[in-house]
Amino acid sequence: MHRILSILLIWLLSTAAPASTVQWRFATEDFPPFTYPADTPVNATAGVRAAGPFVEVVTAICARLQHQCTITLYPWQRAFRLAEQGQVDGIFTLAHSPQREQIFHISRMLVTSRYSVFAQADSSFVFNHPDDMTGRRVGVYGPSGTSYVLSERLKSVPDVRFHLTADNRRLLRMLQSGRFGAEGVAVINQDVAWHLIDDERLEDVREAGEMGPISYGIGLSRKTVSAAQFEAFEQALDAAIADGTVQAILRRHKLEAAY
């Protein structure tokens, strides 16, 4: 019996992760084509395993750092709250804002996309300038980086009424069904919108114009990740860009690099 216990102990010690192994937890959201569920629908309580180009980039960086990283998908508000409170170590996709810089170390921007204005298919509305939004009800995913940027860009436009919706799929369905009124529009990431329009078969919405570019990076919690650890993360990311690893991932997913 003693011999068997000794063998079991040796086996456990040989297969256990080194005590010094860093374990990081990341949270993300259902934000296709950047991030999306790997296999099962979103579970608001437990989250699900995430997939997508940002997941592939983070996984590659963790492998270079020899960190053990788990990446779980949650509804955005829950993901952000977990990261803000330091219950997870990182979050993506993350756009820059002064408030977020205080909470997170934010990596260089990895992907550039665009915000676009969408309207009902039978609307004649064309967006060219922020003043075109005067008097309109504007649906937007939020609270989020999108709603923050939109409020900043339209803060001088009179009589704009924002409707925050915590799900991009629901946002586009509301637009199609006329929930924002005859003059209503929605502002959404262009790549996300076209992915969802195709996925949800939304034939009665159309793009009415581009509002401007937006870039996304990766945030690491200042509560759990030191400045030195973040610097090592950035160096590993730079190396993955230099050797073509990141470009290959973005190219495979047909995304535009921000760098």
Side-chain angles (χ1 to χ4, degrees), residues 123-141:
S123 167
S124 61
F125 175 69
V126 176
F127 176 82
N128 292 301
H129 188 272
D131 287 341
D132 295 334
M133 303 291 245
T134 300
R136 295 182 181 273
R137 192 177 189 195
V138 181
V140 60
Y141 176 50

Side-chain angles (χ1 to χ4, degrees), residues 20-133:
S20 60
T21 298
V22 176
Q23 298 184 357
W24 277 352
R25 294 174 297 163
F26 287 84
T28 187
E29 60 175 328
D30 183 14
F31 197 55
F34 307 105
T35 53
Y36 41 82
D39 39 33
T40 56
V42 177
N43 183 308
T45 302
V48 300
R49 191 165 58 87
F54 263 80
V55 174
E56 294 175 24
V57 170
V58 171
T59 299
I61 303 310
C62 288
R64 287 171 182 264
L65 294 171
Q66 296 185 325
H67 290 358
Q68 291 185 350
C69 296
T70 58
I71 305 170
T72 307
L73 186 148
Y74 301 94
W76 177 249
Q77 291 185 47
R78 177 166 169 75
F80 192 86
R81 186 168 60 252
L82 289 170
E84 184 179 33
Q85 295 173 352
Q87 295 182 46
V88 297
D89 305 289
I91 186 170
F92 53 88
T93 54
L94 205 65
H96 272 296
S97 77
Q99 294 88 343
R100 291 178 176 184
E101 286 282 1
Q102 295 177 13
I103 304 169
F104 303 110
H105 308 283
I106 300 180
S107 74
R108 66 155 70 191
M109 296 293 98
L110 295 177
V111 172
T112 289
S113 186
R114 288 153 189 83
Y115 288 135
S116 283
V117 182
F118 283 78
Q120 291 181 292
D122 59 1
S123 167
S124 61
F125 175 69
V126 176
F127 176 82
N128 292 301
H129 188 272
D131 287 341
D132 295 334
M133 303 291 245

Side-chain angles (χ1 to χ4, degrees):
M1 178 61 71
H2 179 74
R3 175 180 169 79
I4 294 173
L5 290 174
S6 297
I7 293 172
L8 284 173
L9 179 60
I10 293 170
W11 179 81
L12 287 171
L13 291 173
S14 66
T15 57
S20 60
T21 298
V22 176
Q23 298 184 357
W24 277 352
R25 294 174 297 163
F26 287 84
T28 187
E29 60 175 328
D30 183 14
F31 197 55
F34 307 105
T35 53
Y36 41 82
D39 39 33
T40 56
V42 177
N43 183 308
T45 302
V48 300
R49 191 165 58 87
F54 263 80
V55 174
E56 294 175 24
V57 170
V58 171
T59 299
I61 303 310
C62 288
R64 287 171 182 264
L65 294 171
Q66 296 185 325
H67 290 358
Q68 291 185 350
C69 296
T70 58
I71 305 170
T72 307
L73 186 148
Y74 301 94
W76 177 249
Q77 291 185 47
R78 177 166 169 75
F80 192 86
R81 186 168 60 252
L82 289 170
E84 184 179 33
Q85 295 173 352
Q87 295 182 46
V88 297
D89 305 289
I91 186 170
F92 53 88
T93 54
L94 205 65
H96 272 296
S97 77
Q99 294 88 343
R100 291 178 176 184
E101 286 282 1
Q102 295 177 13
I103 304 169
F104 303 110
H105 308 283
I106 300 180
S107 74
R108 66 155 70 191
M109 296 293 98
L110 295 177
V111 172
T112 289
S113 186
R114 288 153 189 83
Y115 288 135
S116 283
V117 182
F118 283 78
Q120 291 181 292
D122 59 1
S123 167
S124 61
F125 175 69
V126 176
F127 176 82
N128 292 301
H129 188 272
D131 287 341
D132 295 334
M133 303 291 245
T134 300
R136 295 182 181 273
R137 192 177 189 195
V138 181
V140 60
Y141 176 50
S144 67
T146 305
S147 60
Y148 169 79
V149 171
L150 181 63
S151 64
E152 287 294 300
R153 293 184 181 179
L154 299 185
K155 62 183 177 182
S156 62
V157 179
D159 194 27
V160 176
R161 292 155 292 154
F162 296 108
H163 181 99
L164 300 185
T165 302
D167 182 272
N168 277 311
R169 297 175 192 272
R170 185 166 182 266
L171 174 66
L172 288 173
R173 288 196 296 265
M174 291 175 68
L175 175 65
Q176 177 173 260
S177 66
R179 291 282 299 278
F180 303 135
E183 299 297 318
V185 296
V187 173
I188 185 171
N189 177 287
Q190 187 183 65
D191 288 311
V192 173
W194 284 116
H195 180 96
L196 294 178
I197 286 170
D198 181 62
D199 192 51
E200 300 279 329
R201 300 182 180 180
L202 302 174
E203 299 178 355
D204 295 325
V205 297
R206 64 172 181 83
E207 189 170 0
E210 289 187 6
M211 178 166 280
I214 180 67
S215 297
Y216 300 108
I218 301 160
L220 298 180
S221 172
R222 292 185 182 273
K223 288 188 175 182
T224 63
V225 177
S226 69
Q229 287 176 311
F230 175 66
E231 178 63 25
F233 182 89
E234 282 276 78
Q235 290 177 1
L237 176 57
D238 288 345
I241 290 172
D243 70 11
T245 298
V246 175
Q247 289 93 319
I249 293 170
L250 300 184
R251 191 161 51 244
R252 187 168 64 254
H253 290 274
K254 300 179 180 178
L255 296 176
E256 179 183 346
Y259 48 86

